[in-house]
Amino acid sequence: MNVAKSGYRVFSANSSVASTELAKKITERLGVELGKSVVFQESNRETRVDVKESVRGQTIFIIQTIPRDVNTAIMELLVMAYALKTSCAKNIIGVIPYFPYSKQCKMRKRGSIVCKLLASMLAKAGLTHIITMDLHQKEIQGFFSFPVDNLRASPFLIQYIQEEIPDYRNAIIVAKSPAAAKRAQSYAERLRLGLAVIHGEAQCSESDMADGRHSPPCVRNTTGHTGLELPLMMAKEKPPITVVGDVGGRIAIIVDDIIDDVGDFVAAAEILKERGAYKIYIMATHGLLSADAPRLIEESAIDEVVVTNTVPHEVQKLQCPKIKTVDVSMILAEAIRRIHNGESMAYLFRNITVDD
């Protein structure tokens, strides 16, 4: 029985079968059953949730993995949280291993910080706590008005490197951009390996110069009061791609938090091959692998892409045997158990730094 001694219940907010696999693994580890609920789409694509059992006064955990249809998954989570709130659940805790819209966490031109909007919507729907994994930016935790436990996948990926990559001692950890250097440095220090950083961008051919990126800025002659005169700033221009660090004759392991559009990873792999790396691995927490990513990986110099099961990607694995999966249901189940029992979460972050 799901409630028996435990006093908490676990529901899945997914309508797709592929997305409930992680929820099943977590509940198996916890020794409980998934709560009885029905999540489906009406004929006009409206989301409908029916909770089939009483949740009054209970602590509820909603497991929601995010498939390709991100917006539908968000609505499923919001509607289920609100349904549980109006059914008098005591606490509603969202287990969202990959937090959607996390890349839109900064203001860009006249855009919006969608991640902050989503945080406000989740609070309004009734969530009181969130368990997630490897947020794109740690500062996203500040968007929420309730506690957020940001778990790490690095121990599982490091274990994979140690157990599944032959001669990993001859490897070098690679950051595919300076922005990823902190994460890569953390992996390198834990594995006692060297570090390399890829910097710059591919140079445009003459046919690509028509986009105007190298044109001088227009200078407008103004009359009358011109206001405050700011100093002229030179436009940024990235240098040609260079690799800082020696990868010759080494296994190159690129680490990142998300692998979605694989173009950058494929380009990085080609550069590393040219510099003498004889095997190339990619380690990432969230394997979104959108569009034709499996085909590009299969045709590239990449030997293996290792991701966790925070996002369902079984179809992509069938298309590309180079994609491997690491199971992180253990740490998610332990987080649920500790929160329910009022135990410290510090154990799950033991020896893990902010940069992991």
Side-chain angles (χ1 to χ4, degrees):
M1 182 72 183
N2 194 34
V3 79
K5 279 185 179 179
S6 57
Y8 70 94
R9 302 189 184 187
V10 180
F11 287 86
S12 173
N14 281 116
S15 58
S16 62
V17 176
S19 299
T20 59
E21 289 302 315
L22 181 60
K24 290 176 181 176
K25 288 184 178 181
I26 291 172
T27 51
E28 284 173 6
R29 290 184 179 276
L30 290 169
V32 300
E33 297 176 2
L34 273 176
K36 296 181 177 65
S37 64
V38 179
V39 183
F40 61 97
Q41 308 297 313
E42 298 276 16
S43 57
N44 62 351
R45 301 292 295 165
E46 289 183 359
T47 298
R48 180 163 179 174
V49 173
D50 289 333
V51 179
K52 299 293 187 180
E53 54 185 302
S54 175
V55 296
R56 183 177 296 274
Q58 294 292 320
T59 294
I60 306 298
F61 293 88
I62 307 175
I63 301 173
Q64 179 67 324
T65 50
I66 307 296
R68 288 193 177 189
D69 192 352
V70 176
N71 296 326
T72 297
I74 290 171
M75 281 306 300
E76 289 173 347
L77 178 60
L78 291 170
V79 174
M80 175 163 275
Y82 191 65
L84 294 167
K85 177 183 177 182
T86 53
S87 298
C88 300
K90 182 180 178 182
N91 293 307
I92 304 170
I93 301 169
V95 183
I96 315 170
Y98 166 65
F99 194 80
Y101 286 99
S102 57
K103 286 188 175 182
Q104 297 189 48
C105 61
K106 296 179 181 178
M107 179 67 77
R108 298 184 186 279
K109 296 185 178 179
R110 294 181 181 85
S112 61
I113 305 176
V114 183
C115 194
K116 167 62 176 172
L117 172 63
L118 182 54
S120 300
M121 291 166 63
L122 292 172
K124 191 70 175 176
L127 288 182
T128 58
H129 194 143
I130 278 182
I131 302 170
T132 187
M133 181 167 279
D134 282 340
L135 286 170
H136 187 57
Q137 297 288 340
K138 310 299 185 295
E139 295 78 10
I140 292 174
Q141 288 177 273
F143 291 166
F144 295 86
S145 57
F146 50 76
V148 175
D149 286 310
N150 182 25
L151 305 177
R152 306 291 195 274
S154 55
F156 298 91
L157 295 174
I158 288 171
Q159 183 181 30
Y160 184 94
I161 292 171
Q162 293 172 324
E163 295 179 357
E164 302 296 331
I165 298 181
D167 196 23
Y168 83 91
R169 291 291 182 188
N170 188 40
I172 185 167
I173 303 298
V174 180
K176 71 178 179 65
S177 69
K182 275 192 175 182
R183 183 184 300 272
Q185 181 183 357
S186 179
Y187 275 70
E189 290 174 352
R190 291 186 181 283
L191 290 163
R192 290 12 178 211
L193 299 176
L195 176 67
V197 180
I198 298 174
H199 179 49
E201 67 177 356
Q203 296 301 289
C204 301
S205 63
E206 292 183 8
S207 60
D208 295 330
M209 302 291 278
D211 63 359
R213 73 174 67 182
H214 299 286
S215 301
C218 296
V219 180
R220 292 183 294 176
N221 294 323
T222 57
T223 57
H225 181 65
T226 57
L228 180 65
E229 292 187 7
L230 298 174
L232 277 173
M233 296 291 289
M234 293 289 290
K236 286 184 179 180
E237 184 175 335
K238 288 187 178 181
I241 290 181
T242 56
V243 179
V244 182
D246 182 17
V247 299
R250 312 284 284 277
I251 300 170
I253 304 175
I254 304 173
V255 298
D256 214 333
D257 61 329
I258 299 173
I259 176 168
D260 187 4
D261 179 7
V262 299
D264 290 347
F265 291 93
V266 170
E270 290 175 358
I271 292 294
L272 293 170
K273 272 290 187 191
E274 290 174 5
R275 298 295 194 278
Y278 69 91
K279 275 195 177 180
I280 298 165
Y281 292 81
I282 294 174
M283 301 280 162
T285 304
H286 308 297
L288 305 186
L289 302 168
S290 300
D292 56 350
R295 179 183 62 80
L296 293 174
I297 292 170
E298 186 65 26
E299 296 173 355
S300 72
I302 299 168
D303 290 281
E304 202 167 275
V305 174
V306 183
V307 294
T308 72
N309 56 343
T310 56
V311 177
H313 52 265
E314 292 306 313
V315 173
Q316 290 90 327
K317 285 181 70 175
L318 292 173
Q319 296 171 344
C320 177
K322 291 183 179 181
I323 300 171
K324 308 295 181 184
T325 307
V326 173
D327 181 23
V328 293
S329 61
M330 178 195 302
I331 193 170
L332 294 169
E334 180 63 12
I336 291 173
R337 190 193 68 79
R338 285 179 172 271
I339 288 173
H340 171 65
N341 292 333
E343 299 176 22
S344 172
M345 294 288 285
Y347 177 81
L348 302 181
F349 297 95
R350 186 180 58 181
N351 299 325
I352 294 178
T353 64
V354 173
D355 296 329
D356 279 347

